[in-house]
Amino acid sequence: DALVITQDLQHGWATVAGIALGSIYLDLGDFAAAQLALAQAVELSQQWNIGFGIHNATAFLALTQVRQADTIAAETLLNARFGDPTLPVQTEQLAALSLKDRLYWFVRAELALHGHFAAGQGTPDGR
């Protein structure tokens, strides 16, 4: 309901509602619904120039693609939106990462793990 109301009002909170709904669908394993809600959140965030929404909706959309084993699409999306990744190596830099940056690196880690295991270089249980 929140998504419909905020979209009707053309309010910026529609992006937050879309991200929330998309992440719930993602957790429930309904990847098609998650992808739809998150893609719409990205689109609205771009249309209304909401940086928080663009960043987080894109990260969750890429995570949805990883969970569907579409690692190429996830990598392409992340690189197109955020460029080439460079993880800070200093402890102080890591401690200072914002929540949105931590979400980005979480998705990057999921992508790396999925690619590692899909390539037969190990199993999730360490064998």
Side-chain angles (χ1 to χ4, degrees):
D1 289 345
L3 180 58
V4 171
I5 292 168
T6 53
Q7 284 176 332
D8 286 346
L9 296 173
Q10 295 186 356
H11 192 282
W13 279 100
T15 62
V16 176
I19 293 167
L21 185 60
S23 64
I24 290 169
Y25 283 135
L26 177 61
D27 286 344
L28 293 173
D30 188 344
F31 302 126
Q35 194 154 348
L36 181 64
L38 292 165
Q40 188 175 39
V42 169
E43 184 179 314
L44 288 175
S45 296
Q46 290 172 332
Q47 179 182 343
W48 296 334
N49 196 29
I50 300 172
F52 168 87
I54 294 169
H55 189 96
N56 290 313
T58 299
F60 277 113
L61 182 57
L63 183 58
T64 301
Q65 293 167 331
V66 170
R67 299 275 167 85
Q68 294 178 89
D70 193 353
T71 56
I72 293 171
E75 182 83 29
T76 301
L77 178 63
L78 291 173
N79 288 343
R81 174 61 55 202
F82 305 113
D84 194 27
T86 305
L87 180 65
V89 293
Q90 300 293 329
T91 304
E92 300 82 30
Q93 291 173 318
L94 290 171
L97 286 176
S98 66
L99 285 176
K100 68 182 181 74
D101 290 334
R102 289 173 189 262
L103 173 61
Y104 167 78
W105 284 108
F106 167 75
V107 175
R108 280 279 181 199
E110 288 280 325
L111 182 59
L113 285 171
H114 191 284
H116 179 77
F117 296 126
Q121 299 173 350
T123 61
D125 62 2
R127 290 186 273 153

